[in-house]
PDB file of all heavy atoms in Angstrom:
ATOM      1  N   ILE K   1      94.617 110.364  75.905  1.00  0.00           N
ATOM      2  CA  ILE K   1      93.960 109.069  76.041  1.00  0.00           C
ATOM      3  C   ILE K   1      92.774 109.245  76.980  1.00  0.00           C
ATOM      4  O   ILE K   1      92.921 109.697  78.109  1.00  0.00           O
ATOM      5  CB  ILE K   1      94.935 108.006  76.583  1.00  0.00           C
ATOM      6  CG1 ILE K   1      96.084 107.817  75.599  1.00  0.00           C
ATOM      7  CG2 ILE K   1      94.216 106.693  76.860  1.00  0.00           C
ATOM      8  CD1 ILE K   1      97.210 106.955  76.115  1.00  0.00           C
ATOM      9  N   LYS K   2      91.579 108.907  76.493  1.00  0.00           N
ATOM     10  CA  LYS K   2      90.353 109.041  77.289  1.00  0.00           C
ATOM     11  C   LYS K   2      90.053 107.711  77.970  1.00  0.00           C
ATOM     12  O   LYS K   2      90.000 106.672  77.325  1.00  0.00           O
ATOM     13  CB  LYS K   2      89.173 109.410  76.394  1.00  0.00           C
ATOM     14  CG  LYS K   2      89.393 110.648  75.564  1.00  0.00           C
ATOM     15  CD  LYS K   2      89.034 111.872  76.330  1.00  0.00           C
ATOM     16  CE  LYS K   2      89.118 113.057  75.375  1.00  0.00           C
ATOM     17  NZ  LYS K   2      89.276 114.283  76.025  1.00  0.00           N
ATOM     18  N   ILE K   3      89.863 107.752  79.251  1.00  0.00           N
ATOM     19  CA  ILE K   3      89.541 106.562  80.027  1.00  0.00           C
ATOM     20  C   ILE K   3      88.055 106.622  80.376  1.00  0.00           C
ATOM     21  O   ILE K   3      87.608 107.557  81.033  1.00  0.00           O
ATOM     22  CB  ILE K   3      90.380 106.490  81.327  1.00  0.00           C
ATOM     23  CG1 ILE K   3      91.870 106.598  81.039  1.00  0.00           C
ATOM     24  CG2 ILE K   3      90.042 105.231  82.106  1.00  0.00           C
ATOM     25  CD1 ILE K   3      92.431 105.490  80.219  1.00  0.00           C
ATOM     26  N   LYS K   4      87.288 105.618  79.900  1.00  0.00           N
ATOM     27  CA  LYS K   4      85.865 105.569  80.220  1.00  0.00           C
ATOM     28  C   LYS K   4      85.679 105.147  81.674  1.00  0.00           C
ATOM     29  O   LYS K   4      86.336 104.223  82.145  1.00  0.00           O
ATOM     30  CB  LYS K   4      85.144 104.547  79.330  1.00  0.00           C
ATOM     31  CG  LYS K   4      84.826 105.030  77.974  1.00  0.00           C
ATOM     32  CD  LYS K   4      83.902 104.140  77.165  1.00  0.00           C
ATOM     33  CE  LYS K   4      83.705 102.746  77.599  1.00  0.00           C
ATOM     34  NZ  LYS K   4      82.839 101.942  76.731  1.00  0.00           N
ATOM     35  N   GLU K   5      84.798 105.835  82.346  1.00  0.00           N
ATOM     36  CA  GLU K   5      84.454 105.445  83.710  1.00  0.00           C
ATOM     37  C   GLU K   5      83.623 104.176  83.651  1.00  0.00           C
ATOM     38  O   GLU K   5      82.760 104.030  82.794  1.00  0.00           O
ATOM     39  CB  GLU K   5      83.676 106.552  84.405  1.00  0.00           C
ATOM     40  CG  GLU K   5      84.498 107.794  84.692  1.00  0.00           C
ATOM     41  CD  GLU K   5      85.583 107.559  85.727  1.00  0.00           C
ATOM     42  OE1 GLU K   5      85.348 106.792  86.692  1.00  0.00           O
ATOM     43  OE2 GLU K   5      86.665 108.141  85.589  1.00  0.00           O
ATOM     44  N   LYS K   6      83.896 103.260  84.552  1.00  0.00           N
ATOM     45  CA  LYS K   6      83.134 102.015  84.616  1.00  0.00           C
ATOM     46  C   LYS K   6      82.229 102.054  85.831  1.00  0.00           C
ATOM     47  O   LYS K   6      82.557 102.677  86.842  1.00  0.00           O
ATOM     48  CB  LYS K   6      84.075 100.812  84.721  1.00  0.00           C
ATOM     49  CG  LYS K   6      84.878 100.588  83.477  1.00  0.00           C
ATOM     50  CD  LYS K   6      85.629  99.289  83.577  1.00  0.00           C
ATOM     51  CE  LYS K   6      86.342  99.037  82.267  1.00  0.00           C
ATOM     52  NZ  LYS K   6      86.892  97.718  82.200  1.00  0.00           N
ATOM     53  N   LYS K   7      81.099 101.376  85.696  1.00  0.00           N
ATOM     54  CA  LYS K   7      80.209 101.266  86.837  1.00  0.00           C
ATOM     55  C   LYS K   7      80.889 100.430  87.909  1.00  0.00           C
ATOM     56  O   LYS K   7      81.507  99.420  87.611  1.00  0.00           O
ATOM     57  CB  LYS K   7      78.902 100.594  86.433  1.00  0.00           C
ATOM     58  CG  LYS K   7      78.043 101.408  85.522  1.00  0.00           C
ATOM     59  CD  LYS K   7      76.770 100.653  85.206  1.00  0.00           C
ATOM     60  CE  LYS K   7      75.949 101.395  84.188  1.00  0.00           C
ATOM     61  NZ  LYS K   7      74.754 100.644  83.810  1.00  0.00           N
ATOM     62  N   LYS K   8      80.749 100.881  89.126  1.00  0.00           N
ATOM     63  CA  LYS K   8      81.305 100.106  90.232  1.00  0.00           C
ATOM     64  C   LYS K   8      80.276  99.081  90.661  1.00  0.00           C
ATOM     65  O   LYS K   8      79.091  99.372  90.739  1.00  0.00           O
ATOM     66  CB  LYS K   8      81.665 101.036  91.378  1.00  0.00           C
ATOM     67  CG  LYS K   8      82.783 101.981  91.019  1.00  0.00           C
ATOM     68  CD  LYS K   8      83.177 102.837  92.178  1.00  0.00           C
ATOM     69  CE  LYS K   8      84.442 103.559  91.871  1.00  0.00           C
ATOM     70  NZ  LYS K   8      84.362 104.819  91.314  1.00  0.00           N
ATOM     71  N   GLY K   9      80.714  97.881  90.886  1.00  0.00           N
ATOM     72  CA  GLY K   9      79.783  96.847  91.292  1.00  0.00           C
ATOM     73  C   GLY K   9      80.495  95.741  92.034  1.00  0.00           C
ATOM     74  O   GLY K   9      81.359  95.075  91.480  1.00  0.00           O
ATOM     75  N   PHE K  10      80.147  95.572  93.272  1.00  0.00           N
ATOM     76  CA  PHE K  10      80.786  94.556  94.105  1.00  0.00           C
ATOM     77  C   PHE K  10      80.481  93.160  93.601  1.00  0.00           C
ATOM     78  O   PHE K  10      81.373  92.327  93.497  1.00  0.00           O
ATOM     79  CB  PHE K  10      80.340  94.727  95.560  1.00  0.00           C
ATOM     80  CG  PHE K  10      80.894  93.684  96.477  1.00  0.00           C
ATOM     81  CD1 PHE K  10      82.219  93.733  96.863  1.00  0.00           C
ATOM     82  CD2 PHE K  10      80.104  92.647  96.931  1.00  0.00           C
ATOM     83  CE1 PHE K  10      82.751  92.768  97.701  1.00  0.00           C
ATOM     84  CE2 PHE K  10      80.621  91.678  97.763  1.00  0.00           C
ATOM     85  CZ  PHE K  10      81.943  91.740  98.146  1.00  0.00           C
ATOM     86  N   ILE K  11      79.210  92.897  93.272  1.00  0.00           N
ATOM     87  CA  ILE K  11      78.809  91.550  92.856  1.00  0.00           C
ATOM     88  C   ILE K  11      79.494  91.165  91.554  1.00  0.00           C
ATOM     89  O   ILE K  11      80.013  90.054  91.421  1.00  0.00           O
ATOM     90  CB  ILE K  11      77.267  91.460  92.717  1.00  0.00           C
ATOM     91  CG1 ILE K  11      76.583  91.740  94.049  1.00  0.00           C
ATOM     92  CG2 ILE K  11      76.844  90.103  92.163  1.00  0.00           C
ATOM     93  CD1 ILE K  11      76.919  90.756  95.150  1.00  0.00           C
ATOM     94  N   ARG K  12      79.508  92.079  90.574  1.00  0.00           N
ATOM     95  CA  ARG K  12      80.145  91.770  89.289  1.00  0.00           C
ATOM     96  C   ARG K  12      81.628  91.491  89.461  1.00  0.00           C
ATOM     97  O   ARG K  12      82.176  90.584  88.847  1.00  0.00           O
ATOM     98  CB  ARG K  12      79.934  92.917  88.303  1.00  0.00           C
ATOM     99  CG  ARG K  12      78.494  93.091  87.950  1.00  0.00           C
ATOM    100  CD  ARG K  12      78.245  94.121  86.922  1.00  0.00           C
ATOM    101  NE  ARG K  12      79.139  95.254  86.940  1.00  0.00           N
ATOM    102  CZ  ARG K  12      79.057  96.253  86.091  1.00  0.00           C
ATOM    103  NH1 ARG K  12      78.123  96.270  85.181  1.00  0.00           N
ATOM    104  NH2 ARG K  12      79.910  97.247  86.148  1.00  0.00           N
ATOM    105  N   THR K  13      82.281  92.274  90.297  1.00  0.00           N
ATOM    106  CA  THR K  13      83.708  92.066  90.543  1.00  0.00           C
ATOM    107  C   THR K  13      83.940  90.739  91.252  1.00  0.00           C
ATOM    108  O   THR K  13      84.858  89.987  90.907  1.00  0.00           O
ATOM    109  CB  THR K  13      84.273  93.223  91.387  1.00  0.00           C
ATOM    110  OG1 THR K  13      84.030  94.449  90.696  1.00  0.00           O
ATOM    111  CG2 THR K  13      85.755  93.054  91.625  1.00  0.00           C
ATOM    112  N   LEU K  14      83.104  90.431  92.226  1.00  0.00           N
ATOM    113  CA  LEU K  14      83.237  89.185  92.969  1.00  0.00           C
ATOM    114  C   LEU K  14      83.022  87.971  92.064  1.00  0.00           C
ATOM    115  O   LEU K  14      83.813  87.024  92.080  1.00  0.00           O
ATOM    116  CB  LEU K  14      82.241  89.159  94.138  1.00  0.00           C
ATOM    117  CG  LEU K  14      82.324  87.956  95.053  1.00  0.00           C
ATOM    118  CD1 LEU K  14      83.647  87.949  95.811  1.00  0.00           C
ATOM    119  CD2 LEU K  14      81.174  87.977  96.036  1.00  0.00           C
ATOM    120  N   VAL K  15      81.979  88.008  91.240  1.00  0.00           N
ATOM    121  CA  VAL K  15      81.688  86.886  90.347  1.00  0.00           C
ATOM    122  C   VAL K  15      82.792  86.737  89.295  1.00  0.00           C
ATOM    123  O   VAL K  15      83.298  85.634  89.060  1.00  0.00           O
ATOM    124  CB  VAL K  15      80.302  87.051  89.674  1.00  0.00           C
ATOM    125  CG1 VAL K  15      80.099  86.025  88.579  1.00  0.00           C
ATOM    126  CG2 VAL K  15      79.205  86.956  90.704  1.00  0.00           C
ATOM    127  N   GLY K  16      83.188  87.829  88.664  1.00  0.00           N
ATOM    128  CA  GLY K  16      84.243  87.771  87.650  1.00  0.00           C
ATOM    129  C   GLY K  16      85.564  87.295  88.221  1.00  0.00           C
ATOM    130  O   GLY K  16      86.258  86.465  87.627  1.00  0.00           O
ATOM    131  N   GLY K  17      85.927  87.809  89.386  1.00  0.00           N
ATOM    132  CA  GLY K  17      87.166  87.383  90.030  1.00  0.00           C
ATOM    133  C   GLY K  17      87.144  85.925  90.441  1.00  0.00           C
ATOM    134  O   GLY K  17      88.151  85.213  90.344  1.00  0.00           O
ATOM    135  N   THR K  18      85.979  85.468  90.880  1.00  0.00           N
ATOM    136  CA  THR K  18      85.843  84.066  91.271  1.00  0.00           C
ATOM    137  C   THR K  18      85.986  83.145  90.066  1.00  0.00           C
ATOM    138  O   THR K  18      86.699  82.134  90.122  1.00  0.00           O
ATOM    139  CB  THR K  18      84.485  83.825  91.959  1.00  0.00           C
ATOM    140  OG1 THR K  18      84.408  84.676  93.110  1.00  0.00           O
ATOM    141  CG2 THR K  18      84.317  82.392  92.371  1.00  0.00           C
ATOM    142  N   ILE K  19      85.336  83.499  88.962  1.00  0.00           N
ATOM    143  CA  ILE K  19      85.457  82.686  87.747  1.00  0.00           C
ATOM    144  C   ILE K  19      86.909  82.664  87.266  1.00  0.00           C
ATOM    145  O   ILE K  19      87.452  81.608  86.935  1.00  0.00           O
ATOM    146  CB  ILE K  19      84.523  83.219  86.643  1.00  0.00           C
ATOM    147  CG1 ILE K  19      83.069  82.967  87.031  1.00  0.00           C
ATOM    148  CG2 ILE K  19      84.839  82.563  85.299  1.00  0.00           C
ATOM    149  CD1 ILE K  19      82.065  83.666  86.144  1.00  0.00           C
ATOM    150  N   PHE K  20      87.556  83.830  87.237  1.00  0.00           N
ATOM    151  CA  PHE K  20      88.954  83.893  86.813  1.00  0.00           C
ATOM    152  C   PHE K  20      89.838  83.069  87.745  1.00  0.00           C
ATOM    153  O   PHE K  20      90.685  82.290  87.295  1.00  0.00           O
ATOM    154  CB  PHE K  20      89.436  85.350  86.788  1.00  0.00           C
ATOM    155  CG  PHE K  20      90.858  85.502  86.369  1.00  0.00           C
ATOM    156  CD1 PHE K  20      91.217  85.435  85.038  1.00  0.00           C
ATOM    157  CD2 PHE K  20      91.845  85.720  87.318  1.00  0.00           C
ATOM    158  CE1 PHE K  20      92.540  85.577  84.652  1.00  0.00           C
ATOM    159  CE2 PHE K  20      93.166  85.864  86.939  1.00  0.00           C
ATOM    160  CZ  PHE K  20      93.516  85.795  85.601  1.00  0.00           C
ATOM    161  N   GLY K  21      89.643  83.221  89.053  1.00  0.00           N
ATOM    162  CA  GLY K  21      90.457  82.494  90.026  1.00  0.00           C
ATOM    163  C   GLY K  21      90.268  80.989  89.952  1.00  0.00           C
ATOM    164  O   GLY K  21      91.226  80.222  90.070  1.00  0.00           O
ATOM    165  N   LEU K  22      89.017  80.560  89.753  1.00  0.00           N
ATOM    166  CA  LEU K  22      88.770  79.124  89.621  1.00  0.00           C
ATOM    167  C   LEU K  22      89.429  78.561  88.372  1.00  0.00           C
ATOM    168  O   LEU K  22      90.001  77.464  88.401  1.00  0.00           O
ATOM    169  CB  LEU K  22      87.264  78.846  89.592  1.00  0.00           C
ATOM    170  CG  LEU K  22      86.542  78.973  90.929  1.00  0.00           C
ATOM    171  CD1 LEU K  22      85.042  78.872  90.732  1.00  0.00           C
ATOM    172  CD2 LEU K  22      87.038  77.922  91.903  1.00  0.00           C
ATOM    173  N   GLY K  23      89.349  79.304  87.275  1.00  0.00           N
ATOM    174  CA  GLY K  23      90.007  78.860  86.045  1.00  0.00           C
ATOM    175  C   GLY K  23      91.510  78.747  86.234  1.00  0.00           C
ATOM    176  O   GLY K  23      92.149  77.780  85.793  1.00  0.00           O
ATOM    177  N   TRP K  24      92.080  79.728  86.910  1.00  0.00           N
ATOM    178  CA  TRP K  24      93.513  79.735  87.181  1.00  0.00           C
ATOM    179  C   TRP K  24      93.869  78.531  88.060  1.00  0.00           C
ATOM    180  O   TRP K  24      94.843  77.816  87.807  1.00  0.00           O
ATOM    181  CB  TRP K  24      93.860  81.030  87.879  1.00  0.00           C
ATOM    182  CG  TRP K  24      95.317  81.335  88.052  1.00  0.00           C
ATOM    183  CD1 TRP K  24      96.360  80.449  88.084  1.00  0.00           C
ATOM    184  CD2 TRP K  24      95.890  82.618  88.222  1.00  0.00           C
ATOM    185  NE1 TRP K  24      97.544  81.105  88.282  1.00  0.00           N
ATOM    186  CE2 TRP K  24      97.280  82.449  88.367  1.00  0.00           C
ATOM    187  CE3 TRP K  24      95.385  83.884  88.294  1.00  0.00           C
ATOM    188  CZ2 TRP K  24      98.152  83.509  88.568  1.00  0.00           C
ATOM    189  CZ3 TRP K  24      96.263  84.934  88.483  1.00  0.00           C
ATOM    190  CH2 TRP K  24      97.628  84.748  88.610  1.00  0.00           C
TER     191      TRP K  24
END
């Protein structure tokens, strides 16, 4: 199983997590 490396990004993680958390 090949796992693609993802770009690390603080802002993208923060924004995505915030949207998910607000929806929850």
Side-chain angles (χ1 to χ4, degrees):
I1 298 171
K2 305 274 187 201
I3 306 297
K4 280 191 343 182
E5 291 293 323
K6 292 188 176 190
K7 292 181 185 177
K8 294 183 169 92
F10 177 75
I11 299 298
R12 295 184 327 180
T13 302
L14 184 66
V15 170
T18 301
I19 291 170
F20 180 79
L22 286 172
W24 189 336

